[in-house]
Amino acid sequence: MSKVTDLVKRLFIGRALRSTQLHEQLLPKRIALPVFASDALSSVAYAPQEILVILSIAGLSFYHFAPWVAIAVVLVMLTVVASYRQNVHAYPSGGGDYEVATVNLGPNAGLTVASALMVDYVLTVAVSVANGVDYVGATIPYVAEHKPLVAITIVVLLTLVNLRGIRESGVAFAVPTYAFMVSVIGLVLWGGFRLLVMGEELRAPTAGYQIVAEQTDLTSLAAAFLILRAFSSGCAALTGVEAISNGVPAFRKPKSKNAATTLLMMGLIAVTMFVGIIALGLASGVKLADPATAARDVLINGKPAGPDYYQQPIIAQVADAVFGNGSLFFIVISAVTALILFLAANTAFNGFPVLGSILAQDRYLPRQLHTRGDRLAFSNGIVILAAGACLLLWGFQADVSRLLNLYIVGVFVSFTLSQIGMVRHWTRHLKTETAPKTRAQMKRSRVINFFGAVMTGVVLVVVLLTKFTHGAWIVCVAMPTLFLIMKGIHRHYENVAAELAVDEDLQVDESMLPARNHAIVLVSKIHKPTLRALSYARATRPSTLEAVTVGVEGEDARALQEEWERRGIPVPLKMLDSPYREITRPILEYVKSLRRRSPRDVVTVYIPEYVVGRWWEHLLHNQSALRLKGRLLFQPGVMVTSVPWQLHSSDRLKGRPEPAAPGAVRRPRHEMARDQGAKA
């Protein structure tokens, strides 16, 4: 069974890598861009659409606010990109927002950022995959009918690819990501050329439709609130910007410079695609309504669209207007858009495990998250992220509209606290810096981060106000819950460390050493395992040695006593009564009585155990021993020693390679054999 599972693991994940091969997994800029930027770049598939959907609530007349909303989103995006370029230079260790907030604002601020980012990473996977399933479901009915199942399957596939290592996942996802960038930028350039140079009219499939306003005669305050809500939805385009600052260690040297360059490239490409899509959408007359009410609110030739109406996404409509429906370029853009939405989740698969590893190193999460797997990826973090995303997809039935309301709250919490932390960072360094040129650079950086903090803080307030009742309250509950869990884990680790710590000045007190070792060998019957346990116990030369058995059946107990005496075993046998046919309780009570009688004595309990070779044999042996060991472990001053006896069924496992512990990096057999031969 072990060989089969190991073969399956190697088939899907690949051969284990040595720790010394970690540098081979570092990414050049051309691979790092699709790895860390796929989330931010894919946002252009739905961020422009969300702006128009929200504005359509008040009718088509509100579409004239769309360019101003888009300009505001672009301004925030450029500000955040410029701010994070300061972050990657100042904090290149990979802690990102968490490290910035912790160092400059304190541990609680750092944990707040960490909890926000972890929730947002899980939502990134869920939203991206659900949105991609929507695109595919438009052409494949089976996918539309089984959205949660298909979405979870996609998450599982992404998990397997990422378990193979960051470099392999980057290479696998580079081609689709670049194909998406080239396709969308080509769409924007050709559409702009036709519109501005050739003077042709672009007409989207929905250009002649009408949309019934759900809310009319809005007051100035209500209209402003609606525009702010559209702005907050459009800010989904900023998700993923922070991923590069969290992934600086994955870049090749010089790490900070390469990360900053990649961040700038990502920002410029994302802004170009975002502005181009929304501009062409407005120019071609794209009409979009809330998917939940589109069947009623969209009018075709003056009549409601009806329940069979499918609302094409904005990219598909713009591609239709620019290239024509059914054309090769239209099909390519539709395909790569669906693919990039799936691959956008890869940003979270790179950011979440790294953040989890740093938190585990700081004792805020279980230490297993700091362990690298066979392929030098943080496998445990990848699996946990996938499990969380699958639960969300199942719980929300892969509904993008419901999931999107939970989105971007966490990321703007981290944006804001990170930028405030950077302002304090530059202020602190300016107090000690004397070089005029360096001080000027620091002041410029502080201004950039201050402006970023103000902008992201405003967006955070807007997002909370406009999305809280639409589902964002769930995130507002999840973040404090995760915060308290991490605080509890940290408190536990600190308490354990304090309890186990040895004072440097502490001298060994002879009075603290055990006076004697009282050894007990547990006996059920006289057979080879019992005799081996007795021999081993005698070899340890304890102060006192006795065999103990529990007399459940009187006749069996007498037979055991007689055989013991007949064989002349040189160890006294003590019989414990058990009127209620229990085994564990009488032994525990006897051990406790020995401890009460001599508190300074150590009691060592030797338990004979069978070693079996088949999984089902474990169910038939050693159950009483397991229960007893579990109870004895909680008794102070009691040592438990298992004395194994290998049954013949275990012979088939002799010589089997030692299985690696979770996260251990194993060397290939041929290399170990080569090294051993060299030593010989």
Side-chain angles (χ1 to χ4, degrees):
M1 182 63 70
S2 175
K3 291 181 179 179
V4 172
T5 55
D6 192 63
L7 178 62
V8 172
K9 185 177 180 182
R10 292 290 154 259
L11 177 64
F12 286 105
I13 298 178
R15 181 178 61 83
L17 298 176
R18 291 175 293 172
S19 298
T20 54
Q21 293 178 276
L22 182 59
H23 70 280
E24 299 175 9
Q25 299 297 302
L26 300 180
L27 304 176
K29 293 190 291 294
R30 66 180 183 278
I31 301 297
L33 180 62
V35 167
F36 292 107
S38 56
D39 180 23
L41 297 178
S42 70
S43 299
V44 301
Y46 51 84
Q49 177 170 313
E50 288 302 309
I51 293 175
L52 298 183
V53 167
I54 299 300
L55 291 177
S56 69
I57 294 175
L60 295 178
S61 62
F62 266 60
Y63 271 21
H64 73 274
F65 290 110
W68 301 105
V69 173
I71 290 172
V73 171
V74 169
L75 180 62
V76 175
M77 184 183 295
L78 293 176
T79 302
V80 170
V81 169
S83 299
Y84 272 88
R85 281 172 56 83
Q86 317 304 316
N87 289 32
V88 297
H89 286 295
Y91 295 92
S93 63
D97 294 341
Y98 164 70
E99 184 180 2
V100 172
T102 301
V103 172
N104 298 289
L105 303 177
N108 287 335
L111 273 190
T112 302
V113 168
S115 59
L117 281 175
M118 295 183 78
V119 170
D120 193 73
Y121 279 137
V122 176
L123 283 166
T124 295
V125 176
V127 170
S128 300
V129 172
N131 208 353
V133 170
D134 272 352
Y135 269 81
V136 177
T139 55
I140 305 177
Y142 177 85
V143 173
E145 294 170 4
H146 302 85
K147 283 174 58 178
L149 178 61
V150 174
I152 291 172
T153 302
I154 296 298
V155 172
V156 172
L157 292 175
L158 289 172
T159 303
L160 290 176
V161 174
N162 279 278
L163 287 174
R164 295 185 66 88
I166 185 172
R167 183 175 179 84
E168 287 204 24
S169 66
V171 172
F173 297 155
V175 173
T177 305
Y178 279 118
F180 174 74
M181 287 189 286
V182 171
S183 300
V184 174
I185 292 176
L187 169 68
V188 170
L189 293 177
W190 180 243
F193 180 79
R194 286 188 57 189
L195 192 67
L196 301 176
V197 179
M198 301 177 65
E200 297 180 0
E201 180 185 5
L202 301 180
R203 188 170 178 83
T206 58
Y209 296 176
Q210 296 295 318
I211 295 179
V212 178
E214 294 183 22
Q215 299 178 13
T216 57
D217 299 328
L218 295 176
T219 64
S220 299
L221 182 61
F225 185 82
L226 185 67
I227 294 171
L228 287 175
R229 184 179 167 192
F231 169 68
S232 68
S233 295
C235 284
L238 276 74
T239 57
V241 173
E242 81 290 344
I244 290 180
S245 71
N246 293 332
V248 175
F251 284 80
R252 286 183 179 174
K253 295 180 180 180
K255 296 179 181 291
S256 295
K257 181 180 178 181
N258 288 337
T261 303
T262 304
L263 187 58
L264 179 61
M265 293 166 56
M266 180 202 70
L268 294 177
I269 294 171
V271 166
T272 301
M273 293 194 296
F274 177 83
V275 172
I277 289 297
I278 199 165
L280 290 177
L282 292 172
S284 61
V286 169
K287 305 293 191 305
L288 293 164
D290 187 342
T293 60
R296 181 185 70 245
D297 293 343
V298 175
L299 302 181
I300 303 176
N301 297 324
K303 297 180 181 179
D308 295 332
Y309 173 69
Y310 168 69
Q311 182 170 262
Q312 282 187 311
I314 188 170
I315 289 185
Q317 292 199 43
V318 171
D320 187 308
V322 174
F323 297 119
N325 189 15
S327 65
L328 176 62
F329 291 110
F330 173 82
I331 295 173
V332 169
I333 288 177
S334 299
V336 296
T337 300
L339 189 57
I340 192 63
L341 287 168
F342 290 136
L343 302 187
N346 193 55
T347 297
F349 274 105
N350 286 286
F352 182 96
V354 173
L355 178 60
S357 169
I358 294 171
L359 289 168
Q361 190 175 9
D362 292 344
R363 299 181 176 181
Y364 287 110
L365 286 178
R367 291 172 180 169
Q368 293 88 334
L369 292 176
H370 185 56
T371 305
R372 291 186 182 270
D374 285 354
R375 301 289 295 180
L376 299 177
F378 295 110
S379 305
N380 294 326
I382 292 172
V383 172
I384 291 174
L385 172 64
C390 289
L391 286 175
L392 274 178
L393 289 167
W394 186 261
F396 287 85
Q397 294 297 293
D399 188 331
V400 178
S401 298
R402 295 167 63 191
L403 287 169
L404 206 58
N405 287 322
L406 281 64
Y407 209 24
I408 78 172
V409 175
V411 74
F412 273 96
V413 170
S414 64
F415 281 169
T416 304
L417 290 177
S418 172
Q419 298 314 304
I420 295 173
M422 286 301 296
V423 171
R424 295 196 64 178
H425 167 84
W426 298 123
T427 301
R428 187 175 68 251
H429 281 71
L430 280 168
K431 293 179 180 178
T432 57
E433 183 60 50
T434 57
K437 184 177 180 180
T438 305
R439 286 182 60 84
Q441 292 175 345
M442 288 183 175
K443 288 180 179 180
R444 183 189 62 192
S445 298
R446 184 172 63 173
V447 170
I448 293 173
N449 287 126
F450 177 78
F451 187 65
V454 172
M455 293 292 292
T456 55
V458 170
V459 175
L460 175 61
V461 173
V462 171
V463 169
L464 288 174
L465 290 176
T466 57
K467 290 181 175 288
F468 187 83
T469 57
H470 295 275
W473 65 269
I474 297 176
V475 177
C476 295
V477 171
M479 284 169 47
T481 301
L482 186 57
F483 177 92
L484 294 175
I485 290 174
M486 290 193 290
K487 291 282 283 188
I489 292 174
H490 185 73
R491 191 181 306 113
H492 167 77
Y493 279 135
E494 290 295 308
N495 291 340
V496 170
E499 189 173 343
L500 300 181
V502 178
D503 192 344
E504 292 292 338
D505 300 328
L506 181 64
Q507 300 295 324
V508 178
D509 187 354
E510 295 294 334
S511 64
M512 296 175 62
L513 299 177
R516 294 179 300 173
N517 179 16
H518 190 122
I520 296 173
V521 179
L522 300 185
V523 176
S524 60
K525 61 180 64 176
I526 300 177
H527 49 25
K528 293 178 180 178
T530 299
L531 296 177
R532 171 176 285 182
L534 287 168
S535 300
Y536 179 71
R538 292 178 64 191
T540 61
R541 301 184 181 278
S543 305
T544 305
L545 174 62
E546 61 180 339
V548 174
T549 187
V550 179
V552 176
E553 299 291 341
E555 186 175 340
D556 291 342
R558 285 191 295 271
L560 176 62
Q561 185 74 48
E562 291 173 0
E563 184 179 0
W564 194 272
E565 295 175 355
R566 178 173 57 82
R567 289 180 177 274
I569 298 174
V571 176
L573 176 65
K574 185 175 186 62
M575 191 78 63
L576 302 179
D577 293 329
S578 181
Y580 295 101
R581 299 163 304 284
E582 292 182 297
I583 295 177
T584 302
R585 185 181 296 275
I587 295 174
L588 282 173
E589 293 299 328
Y590 181 65
V591 170
K592 289 179 181 177
S593 68
L594 293 177
R595 289 283 300 155
R596 285 193 297 268
R597 193 182 312 156
S598 301
R600 288 189 56 206
D601 285 3
V602 169
V603 178
T604 303
V605 181
Y606 294 89
I607 305 177
E609 289 191 62
Y610 303 129
V611 178
V612 296
R614 300 178 179 87
W615 67 267
W616 55 267
E617 291 179 304
H618 287 281
L619 304 176
L620 307 178
H621 301 282
N622 299 327
Q623 301 308 308
S624 298
L626 286 173
R627 287 195 297 271
L628 182 59
K629 282 196 292 186
R631 298 292 299 276
L632 288 172
L633 287 174
F634 292 95
Q635 300 299 320
V638 177
M639 311 298 168
V640 182
T641 302
S642 295
V643 183
W645 180 270
Q646 291 79 15
L647 296 177
H648 287 307
S649 64
S650 67
D651 290 345
R652 68 188 186 88
L653 301 180
K654 291 180 179 178
R656 185 182 66 176
E658 182 69 20
V665 178
R666 287 168 286 173
R667 299 178 63 187
R669 289 198 190 108
H670 69 275
E671 292 189 9
M672 296 178 65
R674 181 190 64 198
D675 291 350
Q676 290 173 357
K679 291 179 181 178

